[in-house]
Amino acid sequence: MSMVERAWAGTSTDARSRVAELRDRRAKASEGPGQAATAAQHARGKLTARERIALLLDEGSFQEIGLLSRHRATGFGLENNRPYTDGVVTGWGTVDGRTVFVYAHDFRIYGGALGETHAAKIHKIMDMAIAAGAPLVSLNDGAGARIQEGVTALAGYGGIFRRNTLASGVIPQISVILGPCAGGAAYSPALTDFVFMVRGTSQMFITGPDVVKAVTGEEITHNGLGGADVQAETSGVAHFAYDDEETCIAEVRYLLSLLPSHNREHPPAVPGTDPADRRCDELLDLVPVDGSRPYDMRRVIEVLVDDGEYLEVHERWAGNIVCALARLDGEVVGIVASQPQTLAGVLDIEASEKAARFVQMCDAFNIPLVTLLDVPGFLPGVDQEHRGIIRHGAKLLYAYCNATVPRISLVLRKAYGGAYIVMDSQSIGADLTYAWPTNEIAVMGAEGAANVIFRRRIAEAEDPEDMRARLVKEYKAELMHPYYAAERGLVDDVIDPAATREVLIRSLAMLRAKHADLPSRKHGNPPQ
């Protein structure tokens, strides 16, 4: 008698008994390894996989697949421990009524480690998400590859990475790190559109503290090496970091409300509750006319967008530029804005990379771009040059030039040199360019320009400082007055700051049907 025959020997052939047995198996599979393992998970300050899915999806909407899956590996005692689900919960449901696919590692089973069956379940749900044209959310809490299964586990990661790449720019991919995510496992989140982390309980790194100490002699904690704050502030790997899982997952739901289901549709619009023609008179006092005085660009964004609500991406990394998703008259827009409060809003390597990635994401998912400029140029310095500011700055230039979504730029104050061109100027394809009457668009600041152009006259003057002051004033009057660019057609209009919201909304409404085709090619070769 075979193993299957022995298992079924004496089993009733009554259909109701079979259904009762099915219910029992499903209940045991859903419960997982038991209350002790669940208590241990909670003691670590973490929710279980199913508790996380319940927070993410609309109540009662989750449809699980692969519940009764079990691994078939042998050796090292694996054949005697074959839990249902094999350590990952997969399926789909809805968020605000829209279909979303999800997989969640169950740390209670093999520490969430990935094996052959585990990987096959993830591959299937990824394939389904791509085919259905719906977002994919991964809830990561796993200890990497299942060592006992050897190279088959590593091959499973390869299948995930390939699907991440195929889905890139096709469906939104969101990775939520809710525990360890180490070694090869960390590359999947790195390939997705957004990475969320939770302070204190989630870590990402390629090699852990023990390996680091063995190789380099450096001693560091798990959180110090790859915790949420490190990845959100220092490396830029994480786009968002929160204090607890509940808040983190709630923000994932909010992000999904701002994204389309796939790249062939527009983001979901909502009825506007904030008047489109609302004047923003506070902007007249919020932004100082003196270009050397800082202010918080976030306050400008808050005044302009619907109900003052926006979601800032990479808030704590490269603070000299702000990237945010918001709504204008109910329609989703992506905002890229200089931040004069940090490094005077100058562009550097990190800011260029941050903005370039954001522009590419918006373009992939049909989100119009609004760029707010108050930028004095690229950050000068040996360190920046040696680390490749030319190469990294070109990433932002490439992203804008390649973008076909509606693009509007607005110069609030300074817009100098190459940074002015790179930040979506008319010459690289912005559909509409506006400026406030406080704008200064030039190759460089007046003081620097005067020192170059009039160097000899200043040096030969009886009073060099007085001569410099007069020549700076002359240069400003000739080439840096607010209407110089408008007179030459490089700015479409100079507008009243208080009317900015209405102008942006009217312009975006006109551009909504914009269609632009790129040259036929397999793909571009952007700077890296």
Side-chain angles (χ1 to χ4, degrees):
M1 184 182 293
S2 70
M3 183 181 299
V4 173
E5 289 172 331
R6 285 196 300 272
W8 280 93
T11 301
S12 172
T13 57
D14 176 71
R16 286 182 174 80
S17 298
R18 295 286 179 90
V19 171
E21 182 187 10
L22 170 64
R23 289 173 179 164
D24 182 60
R25 284 175 181 260
R26 292 180 65 87
K28 289 180 178 178
S30 297
E31 182 182 352
Q35 291 301 314
T38 299
Q41 178 79 347
H42 290 164
R44 298 183 187 98
K46 302 193 296 183
L47 300 175
T48 66
R50 295 183 187 281
E51 288 170 340
R52 291 161 175 166
I53 291 173
L55 287 175
L56 174 68
L57 301 178
D58 297 337
E59 185 175 357
S61 69
F62 182 51
Q63 179 65 52
E64 185 172 356
I65 60 172
L67 172 65
L68 302 178
S69 296
R70 303 167 77 183
H71 75 75
R72 54 196 174 195
T74 60
F76 305 101
L78 287 176
E79 64 273 16
N80 300 317
N81 184 17
R82 300 176 62 235
Y84 288 118
T85 74
D86 200 40
V88 63
V89 181
T90 57
W92 73 89
T94 61
V95 173
D96 297 328
R98 300 164 64 216
T99 299
V100 172
F101 288 81
V102 60
Y103 68 86
H105 299 131
D106 191 340
F107 192 81
R108 302 173 304 164
I109 298 175
Y110 290 124
L114 180 138
E116 181 183 20
T117 299
H118 182 122
K121 289 179 64 177
I122 296 175
H123 295 168
K124 182 175 179 64
I125 211 67
M126 295 179 79
D127 290 339
M128 292 176 67
I130 296 169
L136 175 70
V137 178
S138 63
L139 303 176
N140 297 266
D141 186 5
R146 195 174 299 170
I147 300 172
Q148 301 95 317
E149 294 195 27
V151 72
T152 55
L154 293 178
Y157 276 125
I160 293 172
F161 303 156
R162 181 170 63 86
R163 288 167 174 83
N164 284 138
T165 304
L166 291 174
S168 182
V170 179
I171 57 172
Q173 299 180 85
I174 299 173
S175 299
V176 191
I177 314 302
L178 300 166
C181 186
Y187 283 114
S188 177
L191 290 168
T192 61
D193 300 300
F194 299 97
V195 176
F196 287 72
M197 295 186 73
V198 175
R199 295 184 183 92
T201 57
S202 63
Q203 304 92 28
M204 293 179 70
F205 37 68
I206 299 301
T207 54
D210 292 341
V211 176
V212 169
K213 182 179 179 180
V215 174
T216 70
E218 299 170 287
E219 292 192 19
I220 193 166
T221 65
H222 285 80
N223 282 321
L225 181 62
D229 288 328
V230 170
Q231 302 293 14
E233 296 177 15
T234 305
S235 70
V237 170
H239 299 77
F240 306 96
Y242 298 99
D243 291 330
D244 56 79
E245 293 192 18
E246 291 83 358
T247 303
C248 180
I249 293 174
E251 289 299 294
V252 173
R253 286 179 59 93
Y254 179 43
L255 173 60
L256 286 167
S257 75
L258 298 170
L259 300 174
S261 292
H262 53 77
N263 66 342
R264 299 181 303 281
E265 69 177 28
H266 292 285
V270 300
T273 58
D274 194 345
D277 60 354
R278 170 172 58 81
R279 285 185 60 81
C280 306
D281 291 299
E282 54 265 60
L283 293 176
L284 297 169
D285 300 314
L286 184 60
V287 180
V289 174
D290 182 355
S292 64
R293 290 179 57 194
Y295 61 93
D296 189 352
M297 183 64 81
R298 294 187 182 93
R299 285 285 298 120
V300 175
I301 295 171
E302 188 177 322
V303 170
L304 290 175
V305 303
D306 290 359
D307 304 309
E309 294 184 0
Y310 63 92
L311 179 64
E312 186 171 351
V313 179
H314 269 142
E315 177 183 357
R316 300 172 66 188
W317 182 59
N320 40 325
I321 200 160
V322 176
C323 298
L325 293 170
R327 294 185 185 273
L328 284 171
D329 199 29
E331 300 284 348
V332 178
V333 296
I335 298 172
V336 179
S338 311
Q339 175 55 296
Q341 202 171 55
T342 302
L343 294 176
V346 71
L347 279 178
D348 62 2
I349 288 172
E350 286 76 16
S352 299
E353 288 194 336
K354 170 181 170 178
R357 176 77 167 166
F358 183 76
V359 168
Q360 288 173 170
M361 185 280 299
C362 288
D363 187 51
F365 294 116
N366 306 309
I367 300 173
L369 286 160
V370 174
T371 304
L372 306 177
L373 286 84
D374 192 346
V375 57
F378 280 93
L379 180 64
V382 174
D383 176 68
Q384 288 285 304
E385 295 293 347
H386 286 187
R387 289 172 55 206
I389 183 62
I390 297 172
R391 176 168 51 87
H392 293 282
K395 295 179 184 179
L396 180 54
L397 178 61
Y398 187 99
Y400 270 124
C401 290
N402 203 49
T404 60
V405 292
R407 292 156 48 189
I408 300 173
S409 64
L410 169 66
V411 181
L412 281 64
R413 294 194 310 188
K414 303 180 298 296
Y416 294 162
Y420 155 65
I421 298 296
V422 166
M423 290 280 283
D424 208 19
S425 62
Q426 189 178 103
S427 60
I428 67 168
D431 297 295
L432 288 167
T433 54
Y434 296 112
W436 284 359
T438 49
N439 83 82
E440 291 182 354
I441 303 174
V443 175
M444 63 176 67
E447 288 77 10
N451 287 337
V452 173
I453 298 172
F454 307 116
R455 180 177 63 253
R456 182 170 297 177
R457 288 179 60 184
I458 292 172
E460 294 174 350
E462 291 184 8
D463 187 342
E465 289 305 316
D466 179 68
M467 177 63 74
R468 179 182 288 106
R470 287 194 290 114
L471 293 175
V472 166
K473 186 176 181 180
E474 178 184 326
Y475 181 84
K476 283 186 174 182
E478 286 291 324
L479 296 177
M480 292 182 65
H481 63 79
Y483 306 101
Y484 183 85
E487 290 171 359
R488 285 151 182 80
L490 298 175
V491 168
D492 293 303
D493 200 7
V494 179
I495 63 173
D496 177 357
T500 301
R501 172 177 164 83
E502 181 178 8
V503 170
L504 290 176
I505 289 173
R506 286 176 177 269
S507 301
L508 289 167
M510 178 275 295
L511 289 167
R512 196 160 294 136
K514 173 187 174 182
H515 177 77
D517 288 320
L518 293 171
S520 178
R521 59 185 175 185
K522 185 175 182 180
H523 56 74
N525 186 24
Q528 297 296 324

